[in-house]
């Protein structure tokens, strides 16, 4: 049920929201209406029809709720969008040239932002509800809310050619969250597109994941491949991954609007020293317990040790460092097929044909997993 308030009350509530958002560390607060993104549903349906979402079936399952906030919550009358800057202290791209190190996406170099943002949203929403006498719900990323179109409608930024939100004041480094409320608050004006003729984000993509400006084929995106994709990485993308073991910042980092962004001020969003450029050698040695300890509270933990090591082994294969071979060889016998398969590829990239042949002869007779057998076959073609 909508909460009826006067224009003066609504204005005071909006000022209150802005003050509360600032106090909780948000950089931008703006308001839109639940019917502000009528085109979003058709665009999402087209995206799903193209198959560009890969294995992210949850996008299909939640389509109707994503397309219209009123399906998610019929009583909503205003959508409060909040953005928090997570800009890095320095350019994240130079680590890509340090092949003995791992590149972890900026957003994942400390605490899981879902937990941070949601906790702060709950604080704001609780105080707002008490002040306004209205109902509220909070959402962060994992909920079926199309945050980027709503943020654009609220005036926080626009969806750039890389499909991420871009802000004139904070570039491409923004976390988003939303508060739905039954209170009717005057909406802000939408932002317009300021990408112009720039295509830096499109041109830098290592895997050509953008079939056209403003379109992303997730199946080719390194962020999708290293985080969402559960099986072996397709051979065509392995070299392009380089040392990116969790996510990819390339298209974000080259955005010219980043020149207006400052480094993150929230302590829990600042990069941990041990996650800025960890050694591949250290990561290859992680068992499940050590993996969980290192990434406690981090979004990296959510993909699990096996997928993580798959990614690290691809980076090891791209490193050119034969000194990593003992770690790679140890993982050839790992219980996880996806780890064994990635270890085979890394072995094929780092070892001499004689060593590779010895391991192949030793292990293939007892291997039963078809994906791992395929890896031996494909690697044999590479090295022979």
């Amino acid at each position: 049920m909508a909460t009826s308030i006067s224009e003066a009350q609504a204005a005071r509530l909006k000022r209150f929201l802005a003050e509360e958002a600032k106090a909780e560390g948000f950089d931008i607060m703006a308001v839109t209406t639940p019917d502000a993104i009528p085109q979003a549903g058709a665009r999402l349906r087209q995206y799903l029809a193209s198959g560009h979402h890969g294995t992210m079936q949850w996008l299909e399952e939640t389509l109707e709720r994503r397309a219209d906030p009123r399906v998610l919550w019929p009583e909503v009358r205003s959508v409060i969008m909040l953005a928090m800057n997570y800009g890095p202290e320095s350019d994240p791209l130079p680590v890509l040239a340090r092949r003995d190190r791992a590149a972890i996406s900026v957003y994942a170099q400390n605490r899981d932002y879902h937990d941070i943002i949601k906790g702060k949203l709950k604080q704001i929403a609780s105080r707002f509800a008490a002040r306004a006498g209205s109902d509220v719900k909070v959402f962060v990323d994992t909920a079926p809310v199309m945050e980027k179109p709503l943020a654009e409608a609220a005036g926080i930024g626009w969806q750039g050619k890389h499909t991420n939100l871009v802000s004139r004041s904070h570039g491409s480094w923004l976390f988003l969250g939303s508060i739905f409320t039954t209170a009717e608050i005057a909406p802000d004006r939408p932002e317009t597109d300021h990408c112009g003729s720039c295509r830096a984000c499109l041109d830098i993509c290592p895997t050509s994941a953008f079939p056209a400006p403003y379109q992303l084929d997730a199946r080719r995106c390194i962020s999708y491949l290293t985080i969402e994709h559960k099986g072996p990485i397709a051979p065509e993308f392995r070299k392009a991954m380089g040392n990116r073991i969790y996510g990819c910042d390339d298209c974000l980092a080259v955005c010219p609007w980043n020149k207006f962004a400052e480094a993150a001020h929230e302590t829990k969003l600042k990069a941990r020293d041990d996650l800025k450029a960890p050694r591949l050698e250290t990561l290859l040695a992680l068992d499940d317990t050590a993996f969980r300890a290192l990434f406690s509270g981090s979004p990296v933990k959510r993909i699990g040790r096996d997928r993580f090591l798959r990614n690290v082994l691809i980076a090891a294969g791209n490193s050119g460092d034969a000194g990593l071979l003992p770690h790679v060889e140890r993982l050839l016998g790992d219980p996880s097929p996806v780890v064994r398969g990635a270890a085979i590829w890394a072995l094929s990239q780092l070892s001499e044909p004689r060593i590779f042949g010895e391991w192949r002869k030793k292990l293939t007779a007892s291997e039963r997993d078809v994906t791992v057998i395929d890896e031996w076959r494909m690697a044999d073609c590479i090295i022979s």
Side-chain angles (χ1 to χ4, degrees):
M1 181 176 180
T3 305
S4 179
I5 55 177
S6 67
E7 288 187 14
Q9 287 176 307
R12 286 195 294 270
L13 284 174
K14 198 168 185 179
R15 288 194 296 271
F16 174 77
L17 276 170
E19 293 167 359
E20 291 295 311
K22 184 177 181 180
E24 289 293 338
F26 288 96
D27 295 278
I28 311 174
M29 186 284 299
V31 180
T32 189
T33 57
D35 61 352
I37 53 171
Q39 75 288 352
R43 290 177 179 175
L44 180 56
R45 289 184 182 90
Q46 184 178 10
Y47 180 73
L48 295 173
S50 72
H52 287 171
H53 62 302
T55 59
M56 295 184 287
Q57 297 302 319
W58 39 269
L59 285 174
E60 297 182 39
E61 296 164 1
T62 59
L63 190 155
E64 297 305 324
R65 284 177 288 165
R66 288 180 184 278
D68 187 344
R70 293 166 297 187
V71 175
L72 181 61
W73 189 29
E75 289 77 23
V76 62
R77 293 297 178 268
S78 300
V79 178
I80 303 158
M81 295 300 304
L82 299 104
M84 183 177 290
N85 167 47
Y86 72 99
E89 294 176 328
S90 59
D91 183 356
L93 297 183
V95 71
L96 299 178
R98 303 173 66 187
R99 291 306 178 99
D100 64 324
R101 303 296 181 114
I104 296 174
S105 189
V106 169
Y107 88 87
Q109 292 180 12
N110 203 319
R111 304 290 297 179
D112 191 332
Y113 77 91
H114 298 92
D115 299 333
I116 298 170
I117 300 296
K118 193 166 189 177
K120 292 177 178 292
L121 288 177
K122 285 182 175 180
Q123 292 293 324
I124 297 170
S126 176
R127 292 192 286 266
F128 173 78
R131 176 70 65 95
S134 61
D135 294 330
V136 293
K137 292 181 183 290
V138 302
F139 301 101
V140 183
D141 192 31
T142 52
V145 176
M146 298 190 75
E147 293 174 319
K148 289 181 283 187
L150 286 168
E152 183 173 315
I156 288 178
W158 70 97
Q159 281 192 260
K161 292 177 182 177
H162 53 17
T163 73
N164 292 290
L165 196 76
V166 184
S167 159
R168 285 191 285 178
S169 56
H170 294 88
S172 289
W173 308 112
L174 283 176
F175 288 138
L176 299 174
S178 59
I179 300 173
F180 286 22
T181 179
T182 56
E184 294 188 359
I185 307 171
D188 292 288
R189 297 178 64 179
E191 177 62 286
T192 55
D193 190 312
H194 297 281
C195 285
S197 61
C198 177
R199 50 176 295 121
C201 60
L202 309 180
D203 294 336
I204 198 173
C205 181
T207 54
S208 301
F210 300 105
Y214 308 102
Q215 295 181 27
L216 171 68
D217 185 346
R219 298 169 299 181
R220 303 184 64 87
C221 176
I222 290 176
S223 287
Y224 168 83
L225 292 170
T226 56
I227 300 172
E228 301 291 344
H229 182 66
K230 295 180 180 180
I233 303 292
E236 65 180 297
F237 302 125
R238 294 175 186 177
K239 286 290 187 181
M241 281 173 58
N243 60 347
R244 302 170 184 84
I245 65 163
Y246 190 92
C248 178
D249 288 324
D250 296 33
C251 64
L252 301 176
V254 297
C255 179
W257 288 97
N258 288 340
K259 64 186 176 183
F260 299 107
E262 298 178 355
H265 48 74
E266 166 64 57
T267 302
K268 293 179 181 177
L269 297 181
K270 293 180 181 293
R272 284 168 39 185
D273 288 339
D274 60 341
L275 297 186
K276 287 181 180 178
R279 292 184 177 277
L280 293 177
E281 183 178 12
T282 302
L283 301 179
L284 287 169
L286 296 176
D287 59 15
D288 189 63
T289 300
F291 168 79
R292 291 175 178 275
L294 179 62
F295 293 106
S296 176
S298 162
V300 177
K301 185 180 177 182
R302 289 187 285 116
I303 68 171
R305 174 261 185 189
D306 295 347
R307 253 190 286 175
F308 178 77
L309 276 183
R310 173 201 63 186
N311 300 341
V312 178
L313 282 161
I314 299 297
N318 287 325
S319 71
D321 182 4
L324 296 176
L325 269 173
H327 298 283
V328 172
E329 291 170 341
R330 177 179 56 81
L331 292 169
L332 289 169
D334 193 84
S336 167
V338 75
V339 174
R340 294 200 303 277
I344 293 166
W345 185 82
L347 179 72
S348 74
Q349 301 300 304
L350 297 177
S351 70
E352 298 176 359
R354 177 184 60 81
I355 296 174
F356 176 83
E358 290 174 355
W359 277 108
R360 187 184 190 284
K361 183 177 180 180
K362 180 180 179 180
L363 296 176
T364 51
S366 59
E367 182 59 61
R368 295 294 178 265
D369 188 275
V370 293
T371 63
V372 180
I373 293 171
D374 283 343
E375 287 290 348
W376 279 116
R377 177 182 54 79
M378 289 187 292
D380 197 34
C381 293
I382 292 172
I383 205 164
S384 60

